[in-house]
Amino acid sequence: MKKDIETRLIHSFFDRSKHHGSLAAPIYQTSTFVFDSAEQGEARFAGEEEGYVYSRLGNPTVRELEQKLADLEEGEEGIAFASGMGAVSAILMHLLKSGDHVLVSEGVYGCTYGFLELMQDKFKVDYDLFDMQTADAIEKMIRPESRVLYVETPINPTMKLVDLEMVIQTAEKHNLKVVVDNTFCSPYLQQPLTLGADFVVHSATKYISGHGDVIAGAAVGPSEDMQKIRMSVQKDVGAVLGPFDAWLLLRGLKTLSVRMDRHCENARFIFEKLKQHPKVNHIIYPGDPEFSGYKLAEKQMKDFGGLISFEIAGGKAKAQKFMNALEVVQRAVSLGDAESLIQHPASMTHAVVPAEERKKMGITDALVRLSVGLENKQDIWADIEAALHSTYEFS
Ligand SMILES: *Cc1c(COP(=O)(O)O)cnc(C)c1O
């Protein structure tokens, strides 16, 4: 019987007997691999003999991570990348060519949007960003040259959810490949491949690492595609992950389920407290029964995640004053770390989005986004409450 994800997160794929019984995965900190003979080198290059050649083409520590990620996402094969954007761009470059069209859920990660722009300007790959709430809305946007449906759910910072089952069914009808950015959930909370998605991408920088000490990415999908990516886009563009960074992710992954459970528990607590505070408006949290995406979150996520967005009465000036008064919660972009992190989307992650567009997306100047960390939940709340108090004290 297949073991539970909580167990699979911890156990390794490598053969300990070949590594002195080492409990943790060894770090193969090497750029290249020595051949026993010239003939062996020839055979490896010809693909006639299994074995490593050069770390841009594969490395045992990185391979261990890739196998684990594929296993966790219930996919055939995984590839690790130097960053989340390395993974996103590799999958899109693999699936799209000049003249193709891609459908993209509204509000995707800023640099994903940037990469789509680049593909459009330089390579004539067209895209449409829109609200994927219904099959009808999607079908209206499909063109004969559409190839890929790219989804992020929940989306940052408005937490809007997209119904993965509906999107996948619609895509299947029209022969489109579905790519899901699963960064916000991690494989512990959501497994799009089990619902029929073709590819999953991750910024492993976030929950997968969980410790704020590495930039990394990952993609999981069918072996045939992943082999092609390995031997083309990844090899020739080169966003490869280093062995030590892979090892940090292997270390982080061991505690993913424990961390996610705590992130979710702490976020639930902070949400309840925020809800009662008179100076906090419009809280956006997938676990709020009044939130538009609540039912969907219940259906496709194991729990509601560790992210909460909310508005501070008084707009940007008050939001900044509030952020500056925080001591436990750190002012930083990124998410999914042990430390609680807060950012101001309108002036930080979404500053490049035109103000009009931001407003339409629901990103006001009063909005802050909190990644609830693993600290004691009472301490996190005490920090937020004190900062709110000092923000309004003299007004
Ligand atoms: C951070 C992030 C990315 C980009 O990942 P990097 O590791 O920073 O390159 C992509 N998608 C989402 C949803 C993210 O949060």
Side-chain angles (χ1 to χ4, degrees):
M1 201 183 79
K2 192 161 182 179
K3 294 189 174 57
D4 188 83
I5 190 166
E6 292 177 4
T7 307
R8 290 186 284 127
L9 279 164
I10 292 165
H11 287 274
S12 295
F13 286 86
F14 74 97
D15 180 356
R16 289 206 171 84
S17 69
K18 294 190 176 128
H19 299 281
H20 310 283
S22 175
L23 177 71
I27 308 175
Y28 281 88
Q29 194 71 39
T30 185
S31 60
T32 196
F33 298 83
V34 177
F35 308 127
D36 291 339
S37 64
E39 289 78 6
Q40 185 183 52
E42 183 181 13
R44 292 224 178 137
F45 268 89
E48 288 158 5
E49 185 193 294
E50 290 267 315
Y52 293 96
V53 168
Y54 184 65
S55 280
R56 179 157 42 74
L57 316 184
N59 171 286
T61 312
V62 178
R63 191 71 203 121
E64 168 77 6
L65 172 69
E66 293 173 335
Q67 283 176 285
K68 179 164 266 185
L69 290 166
D71 179 62
L72 300 174
E73 285 288 5
E74 312 259 1
E76 286 179 12
E77 192 160 336
I79 301 184
F81 291 89
S83 67
M85 286 320 301
V88 170
S89 59
I91 292 291
L92 291 176
M93 277 192 271
H94 168 68
L95 292 174
L96 296 161
K97 60 176 188 331
S98 277
D100 286 349
H101 174 245
V102 46
L103 300 107
V104 185
S105 63
E106 195 173 60
V108 281
Y109 187 70
C111 301
T112 301
Y113 173 76
F115 183 70
L116 290 165
E117 289 266 279
L118 183 153
M119 294 271 278
Q120 187 175 55
D121 290 351
K122 288 193 182 264
F123 307 114
K124 299 195 163 50
V125 173
D126 210 0
Y127 70 89
D128 272 304
L129 278 171
F130 63 99
D131 189 3
M132 289 188 185
Q133 289 306 302
T134 61
D136 259 5
I138 296 172
E139 283 179 334
K140 275 202 191 97
M141 302 306 279
I142 295 176
R143 308 179 193 167
E145 56 278 15
S146 299
R147 296 284 172 270
V148 174
L149 219 152
Y150 187 98
V151 186
E152 206 178 297
T153 177
I155 229 135
N156 180 38
T158 55
M159 309 295 160
K160 205 161 196 176
L161 277 94
V162 175
D163 186 340
L164 287 174
E165 225 176 336
M166 177 274 287
V167 163
I168 289 161
Q169 277 171 12
T170 311
E172 267 171 9
K173 250 172 57 192
H174 297 270
N175 232 345
L176 307 176
K177 298 283 184 201
V178 176
V179 182
V180 181
D181 182 333
N182 204 26
T183 301
F184 265 42
C185 288
S186 88
Y188 182 65
L189 295 186
Q190 181 170 278
Q191 293 165 320
L193 299 184
T194 63
L195 302 174
D198 299 283
F199 299 89
V200 160
V201 291
H202 277 284
S203 168
T205 311
K206 315 291 167 55
Y207 286 113
I208 288 179
S209 152
H211 292 74
D213 49 15
V214 61
I215 297 282
V220 180
S223 280
E224 206 185 318
D225 291 88
M226 299 316 272
Q227 276 305 329
K228 281 188 191 153
I229 292 171
R230 207 182 277 288
M231 294 327 264
S232 62
V233 181
Q234 199 196 31
K235 173 173 78 67
D236 300 335
V237 178
V240 291
L241 190 67
F244 182 65
D245 287 351
W247 186 86
L248 284 173
L249 296 178
L250 285 166
R251 186 186 220 257
L253 273 173
K254 289 189 186 187
T255 55
L256 182 72
S257 67
V258 183
R259 287 188 286 110
M260 290 314 291
D261 284 343
R262 178 67 91 89
H263 281 298
C264 293
E265 180 195 325
N266 283 2
R268 220 181 324 273
F269 179 82
I270 298 300
F271 164 71
E272 289 299 333
K273 293 290 186 187
L274 284 171
K275 218 168 63 176
Q276 291 158 25
H277 200 286
K279 296 294 185 188
V280 175
N281 307 324
H282 189 51
I283 309 165
I284 322 173
Y285 167 62
D288 176 0
E290 286 164 30
F291 177 60
S292 61
Y294 176 77
K295 281 249 149 40
L296 205 47
E298 257 199 324
K299 181 176 113 179
Q300 67 191 24
M301 291 164 64
K302 181 173 179 165
D303 203 341
F304 299 112
L307 293 151
I308 306 174
S309 294
F310 54 96
E311 290 182 343
I312 299 282
K316 182 176 173 185
K318 288 290 190 210
Q320 289 186 328
K321 195 168 176 204
F322 163 69
M323 287 172 69
N324 290 338
L326 292 162
E327 287 173 5
V328 174
V329 179
Q330 301 295 307
R331 291 166 294 276
V333 294
S334 199
L335 57 105
D337 292 332
E339 295 84 355
S340 291
L341 303 177
I342 197 162
Q343 65 117 347
H344 182 251
S347 67
M348 296 179 183
T349 51
H350 292 68
V352 293
V353 180
E356 264 308 294
E357 199 55 35
R358 273 206 307 268
K359 219 164 136 192
K360 241 177 58 196
M361 290 163 71
I363 304 169
T364 65
D365 283 355
L367 192 78
V368 294
R369 194 219 52 207
L370 175 69
S371 168
V372 182
L374 304 177
E375 303 95 339
N376 175 284
K377 60 191 177 190
Q378 304 279 359
D379 287 338
I380 302 171
W381 174 245
D383 190 42
I384 292 171
E385 194 178 31
L388 283 168
H389 184 75
S390 82
T391 302
Y392 297 101
E393 202 171 18
F394 306 109
S395 62

